[in-house]
Amino acid sequence: MPQAKKPPKIEFVKTTHPARPDWPYFLPKENKALMRKLAKKPIFPRLCERPCTAVTTLFPRRQVEGHTGYGYHMINVDGYRTINAYVISDPLNSTNLRGFTLELSFSLYDFVYGVGVVGETSYFFNFESYFDPGTLTHRLQCCQTSDLSAGGGLPWIGGRDLAHILRAPVMGPYVRASVFNEDRTTRGVEVVAYLST
């Protein structure tokens, strides 16, 4: 049986995340070949069953230090309408521990060398869903999760891993996943998306 190829090691560089300027935050070092591959528009099979679906990695598995955030390259999801992003991390065995939060940011444009990503944002407002005619100024919402459930506790203690899902409409052809370790302990995490048209 042939041995599986190891995924290439990704180097990260420190930068500042606008929503968490006091946290260490890292983005991958420029890798032109990988970035060109991720920026390509998805190809839909002519005979795919409706809806067309795909599973893709938004953030490859890695260890994330406590109170630190990591983002990944922009990925082209043009043509899909819904993204279900699974945050899968090492298990927690105590209610005193914290998990990971996830932020999705969208952009109209991919990465440009020497410039970065123009117009990348996590903030949105949807008049179709949230319009209140009695309010003149509507506040923006951030496309992110908390590590805590609505009841205040963690979604799951023990088990093989800790997982939660951020379900959102695709709000741009390019998406980036950023994970933030809310705990003090280094823990492994990955983000895998289930996309559908």
Side-chain angles (χ1 to χ4, degrees):
M1 187 166 131
Q3 195 171 11
K5 279 176 83 176
K6 265 187 160 181
K9 188 170 178 178
I10 301 168
E11 290 183 58
F12 285 84
V13 292
K14 191 171 183 180
T15 185
T16 302
H17 190 279
R20 299 186 188 215
D22 53 336
W23 278 48
Y25 180 70
F26 299 87
L27 286 174
K29 192 174 180 181
E30 294 177 14
N31 177 333
K32 292 184 180 182
L34 177 59
M35 292 168 79
R36 272 194 301 270
K37 180 180 170 188
L38 296 175
K40 284 184 181 173
K41 190 172 181 174
I43 298 171
F44 294 92
R46 288 182 64 196
L47 300 175
C48 79
E49 294 180 26
R50 299 286 185 217
C52 301
T53 61
V55 174
T56 189
T57 299
L58 295 182
F59 186 86
R61 186 155 189 86
R62 77 167 281 119
Q63 296 292 312
V64 175
E65 303 81 18
H67 291 285
T68 301
Y70 279 82
Y72 193 56
H73 296 293
M74 278 284 174
I75 297 174
N76 194 330
V77 291
D78 195 18
Y80 291 103
R81 293 186 178 183
T82 306
I83 187 166
N84 301 284
Y86 287 67
V87 182
I88 305 167
S89 67
D90 292 345
L92 299 178
N93 298 310
S94 165
T95 55
N96 295 327
L97 299 175
R98 295 288 303 270
F100 282 88
T101 59
L102 168 69
E103 179 181 291
L104 294 182
S105 54
F106 294 91
S107 173
L108 293 170
Y109 310 103
D110 62 346
F111 184 90
V112 176
Y113 299 103
V115 177
V117 178
V118 177
E120 178 182 0
T121 184
S122 302
Y123 288 89
F124 73 97
F125 182 81
N126 184 346
F127 270 106
E128 292 177 355
S129 301
Y130 304 109
F131 180 66
D132 176 7
T135 305
L136 297 177
T137 304
H138 294 82
R139 294 186 180 197
L140 298 171
Q141 299 184 40
C142 188
C143 188
Q144 68 177 6
T145 63
S146 167
D147 64 317
L148 302 175
S149 69
L154 292 163
W156 181 259
I157 297 292
R160 195 175 72 80
D161 53 33
L162 179 71
H164 68 268
I165 302 169
L166 169 57
R167 178 177 170 82
V170 172
M171 295 182 279
Y174 298 94
V175 64
R176 182 196 310 276
S178 294
V179 292
F180 299 92
N181 186 350
E182 301 292 344
D183 201 52
R184 296 179 304 274
T185 308
T186 299
R187 194 168 281 113
V189 67
E190 67 180 323
V191 180
V192 181
Y194 176 60
L195 303 163
S196 63
T197 55

